[in-house]
Amino acid sequence: MDWQRYTLVGGIAAVLLALVYQWNAFKEEHAPAIDQKTVVHHNQSQSDALPGSAPNTSNADQLPEGGSSSTQTNDGSGIPEVGSATQAQLISVQTDTLSMLIDPNGGDIVKVALRKYYEELNQPDRPLILLNQTRSHTYVSRSGLVGGNGRCTAGRPLFSSDATEYALQEGKDTLTVDLKQSQNGITFTKRFTFKRGDYLVNVAYLVDNGRDKPLLASMCGEIIRDSLEPPVDVGIGMSPFLGAALHTSEENYFKQDFEDITSKPTKETVEGGWVAMVQHYFLSAWIPAQDLTNTFTLAPAGNGLYSMGFTSPQLRIEPGQQGTVEASFYAGPKDVYRLEEISPYLDLTVDYGWLWWLAKPMFRVLNWIHEHIVDNWGWSIILLTVFIKALLYPLSAAGLRSMARMRKFAPQMKKLQEQYKDNRQKLAEETMKLYRREKINPVGGCLPILLQMPVFIGLYWMLMETVELRHAPWIGWIHDLSVKDPYFILPVVMGVTMWFMQKLNPQPTDPTQARIMQLMPVMMTFFFLWFPAGLVLYWIANNLISIAQTWFINKQVEAAGK
């Protein structure tokens, strides 16, 4: 009773689909709320943190452990809210790309919101918050000047500024924010320079040594973060990397998750270099001067926090002279082309996995199609699929022809099975004779699949890491190609195209294998329910083109036999 079996399979599929709907609704309702209210806290007196207050140990003054941030606990005890009377007012900076809060205590960046990226689709009033310091979450960027033995996690100097609100004006391409602090004849200016359309901020220390002794200082910068994972919805089989990365003398892209940092802290000295905090689609990074030899560290910072930082070589400023030391801080999307411009190998933070050598050129082609042919990422994915299938066609055609011949001579093979069903050795001999006579390669049919798999995996990671697909629409109900189809229409269409493609290929002679192949479209449809719409769209286009190619070659083989 086949109809009973099919009815049972259909019922099971319906139940599974209903469970998927309920599970997604449950996840959305019970997703942990992210605290976005910024708070600041300090645990060291400002007088102790002023630069230049260290005792003399040589003929030159060295900055004490006071030019940079302190690692703080974030347990919420005694933490005043922003703007409270007990704390200096935070400095707000607005550009066309960034919304930033700077703490005058140390001049630390305690909040960064990306104005062109939203927390939720079509909600411009809720820009994506990348860095923030709240009662439940710490992710901040700190920088300072330190002496020879100084630590970048020591006390914080108190800076003053001309205003508490800065904005990039219309018609202007740059915005400069100066924070100043003076003591014992030394004037420190911490200067932030913002550029229109960019997520890269230049951070410079301008030091005027008005004392009668030389001053020695190094710039340090660090990213302090806890291990809280940002919310992601990337489907089955995908776990985006969350952790630190840097360029080392041995590896262009060396990464450690928080467990690795705890078990094996890293210290590396290289010329130029960078250190980054990497998450899905976005990153923050310190990029010191590329013509100097800098020291980078990844280490636990205590109280559940982790430090990713650098220290530049020491700068000597003679009496009555001025000196400048600077670095750049990036907080924004994983834009491959912009990251390539900023520093060598920084673009590797767009992590395509071990098939990067396939994924990277595929992204180049995809981006070119989007820029020059069609201004829609969904259609660009379809055109990329056409390009890939055309490129692989000479190789896959041989396998398709072999499968077409097997399909053509399937009746003869079935007769042989019936004739020699009790003699397996004779059946194998006669089958091989048929293969040789008709030039059939039974392994050749695997070639199209073998060719597709690395391309599929490489494209999978490429689409996962392509921030341009985040909140990018295609048509109709597909408003975001980076997440699953909300109505599961594309996975069902993919399953149908897979079923049609199977019908064009020869069916396995073994009954068990035949049943497994019949269930494959159903199983693949189920797995693809959670895959990003962009990836499912690629697979549908791939199946449709494969159906056309298989049908064309089948007709050729049939015509050649007449």
Side-chain angles (χ1 to χ4, degrees):
M1 301 291 286
D2 289 341
W3 67 269
Q4 291 179 332
R5 186 183 301 112
Y6 294 140
T7 302
L8 179 61
V9 172
I12 293 173
V15 171
L16 289 174
L17 190 59
L19 288 174
V20 170
Y21 269 112
Q22 291 298 319
W23 170 245
N24 282 280
F26 174 83
K27 286 202 302 180
E28 292 173 2
E29 292 174 3
H30 294 79
I34 298 178
D35 182 10
Q36 296 185 342
K37 193 169 186 178
T38 305
V39 298
V40 292
H41 51 280
H42 311 99
N43 66 351
Q44 187 168 348
S45 65
Q46 303 303 334
S47 61
D48 292 339
L50 295 178
S53 61
N56 271 333
T57 57
S58 66
N59 291 331
D61 283 344
Q62 293 199 11
L63 291 182
E65 299 179 6
S68 189
S69 311
S70 299
T71 300
Q72 308 288 347
T73 182
N74 201 26
D75 57 7
S77 59
I79 301 176
E81 296 189 6
V82 173
S84 64
T86 59
Q87 301 293 345
Q89 186 174 352
L90 297 182
I91 300 168
S92 171
V93 181
Q94 304 290 329
T95 73
D96 60 324
T97 57
L98 296 171
S99 179
M100 182 179 291
L101 290 179
I102 301 174
D103 188 354
N105 291 280
D108 300 328
I109 300 171
V110 296
K111 185 173 184 178
V112 173
L114 310 182
R115 301 185 65 181
K116 294 187 177 180
Y117 295 87
Y118 312 141
E119 291 282 357
E120 301 291 341
L121 182 66
N122 297 326
Q123 292 189 4
D125 59 325
R126 292 184 59 194
L128 184 139
I129 297 176
L130 185 58
L131 276 71
N132 204 6
Q133 180 170 277
T134 72
R135 287 185 172 85
S136 59
H137 178 46
T138 295
Y139 183 5
V140 297
S141 173
R142 298 170 178 169
S143 55
L145 294 179
V146 293
N149 297 319
R151 294 181 296 110
C152 204
T153 55
R156 311 309 297 132
L158 177 62
F159 288 94
S160 63
S161 60
D162 294 336
T164 57
E165 294 184 1
Y166 294 84
L168 181 62
Q169 301 298 317
E170 290 292 335
K172 300 290 185 179
D173 291 328
T174 60
L175 171 65
T176 300
V177 177
D178 283 349
L179 308 182
K180 295 185 177 181
Q181 191 259 346
S182 299
Q183 182 186 3
N184 300 329
I186 305 175
T187 300
F188 299 87
T189 300
K190 188 171 186 177
R191 176 168 294 171
F192 296 84
T193 303
F194 302 83
K195 292 184 179 180
R196 183 176 296 278
D198 204 354
Y199 297 91
L200 188 69
V201 182
N202 180 264
V203 182
Y205 274 89
L206 290 69
V207 182
D208 188 349
N209 184 12
R211 303 180 69 175
D212 58 358
K213 295 180 180 179
L215 184 68
L216 301 178
S218 296
M219 183 175 180
C220 65
E222 66 177 346
I223 300 166
I224 298 290
R225 196 190 192 283
D226 56 31
S227 58
L228 180 67
E229 294 193 12
V232 293
D233 185 6
V234 292
I236 291 177
M238 174 65 182
S239 180
F241 174 72
L242 177 68
L246 52 79
H247 168 61
T248 72
S249 56
E250 296 182 355
E251 297 184 52
N252 294 331
Y253 177 58
F254 173 78
K255 62 181 181 180
Q256 284 188 312
D257 59 24
F258 298 123
E259 291 184 2
D260 294 333
I261 294 174
T262 301
S263 61
K264 191 177 181 180
T266 296
K267 185 175 183 179
E268 186 76 20
T269 299
V270 297
E271 183 177 359
W274 48 264
V275 61
M277 172 62 220
V278 183
Q279 67 182 63
H280 194 218
Y281 290 140
F282 303 99
L283 81 154
S284 61
W286 274 108
I287 306 97
Q290 298 294 284
D291 58 345
L292 299 177
T293 300
N294 304 290
T295 300
F296 298 87
T297 56
L298 308 177
N303 301 301
L305 301 178
Y306 302 86
S307 171
M308 300 136 247
F310 80 92
T311 304
S312 67
Q314 208 165 56
L315 174 69
R316 181 185 178 95
I317 304 174
E318 299 297 337
Q321 300 297 313
Q322 295 81 38
T324 301
V325 59
E326 60 186 342
S328 296
F329 179 70
Y330 182 89
K334 291 181 181 178
D335 183 333
V336 173
Y337 298 107
R338 184 67 184 106
L339 297 178
E340 285 178 341
E341 296 171 349
I342 293 173
S343 180
Y345 311 114
L346 185 57
D347 63 298
L348 296 181
T349 55
V350 186
D351 193 349
Y352 294 136
W354 65 277
L355 284 171
W356 60 268
W357 50 275
L358 271 178
K360 197 166 185 176
M362 283 194 291
F363 172 75
R364 303 279 180 173
V365 176
L366 178 67
N367 189 69
W368 186 90
I369 293 172
H370 181 263
E371 287 186 351
H372 296 90
I373 299 179
V374 56
D375 187 22
N376 181 289
W377 287 104
W379 294 113
S380 298
I381 290 173
I382 293 174
L383 292 179
L384 173 66
T385 310
V386 174
F387 173 77
I388 292 173
K389 293 296 287 186
L391 195 65
L392 296 178
Y393 180 74
L395 296 175
S396 60
L400 292 174
R401 289 191 181 93
S402 179
M403 293 176 68
R405 291 191 184 97
M406 289 185 68
R407 183 173 182 269
K408 179 180 179 181
F409 293 100
Q412 295 186 31
M413 295 179 65
K414 189 174 182 180
K415 288 182 179 178
L416 290 176
Q417 291 172 349
E418 293 175 352
Q419 184 177 355
Y420 301 106
K421 61 181 179 180
D422 297 324
N423 190 339
R424 288 187 173 272
Q425 183 177 354
K426 186 64 174 178
L427 174 61
E429 293 176 359
E430 293 298 323
T431 300
M432 293 305 298
K433 288 180 182 178
L434 176 64
Y435 286 164
R436 286 194 294 269
R437 183 172 64 251
E438 302 299 341
K439 298 180 180 179
I440 298 173
N441 182 4
V443 182
C446 300
L447 184 61
I449 297 176
L450 294 176
L451 290 173
Q452 287 181 41
M453 290 315 296
V455 174
F456 173 75
I457 296 171
L459 191 70
Y460 177 82
W461 284 99
M462 185 269 282
L463 295 179
M464 289 300 93
E465 285 287 281
T466 301
V467 67
E468 288 84 354
L469 295 186
R470 185 179 185 270
H471 294 171
W474 178 41
I475 58 172
W477 73 103
I478 301 296
H479 304 295
D480 187 350
L481 287 165
S482 69
V483 299
K484 63 182 178 299
D485 182 338
Y487 304 111
F488 306 113
I489 296 173
L490 289 181
V492 172
V493 173
M494 188 281 303
V496 172
T497 58
M498 190 174 182
W499 181 81
F500 271 108
M501 192 164 60
Q502 280 191 0
K503 291 299 180 182
L504 291 174
N505 294 325
Q507 300 303 307
T509 55
D510 181 71
T512 302
Q513 293 182 11
R515 292 192 196 99
I516 293 174
M517 292 302 294
Q518 289 171 0
L519 289 174
M520 279 298 293
V522 177
M523 296 169 58
M524 292 295 290
T525 299
F526 180 76
F527 283 117
F528 271 70
L529 292 175
W530 292 276
F531 275 41
L535 190 69
V536 184
L537 183 60
Y538 158 77
W539 203 250
I540 291 173
N542 181 80
N543 285 353
L544 290 173
I545 298 170
S546 296
I547 289 171
Q549 290 178 344
T550 304
W551 179 85
F552 175 73
I553 289 180
N554 285 349
K555 291 297 182 182
Q556 278 188 328
V557 171
E558 291 173 3
K562 293 181 179 178

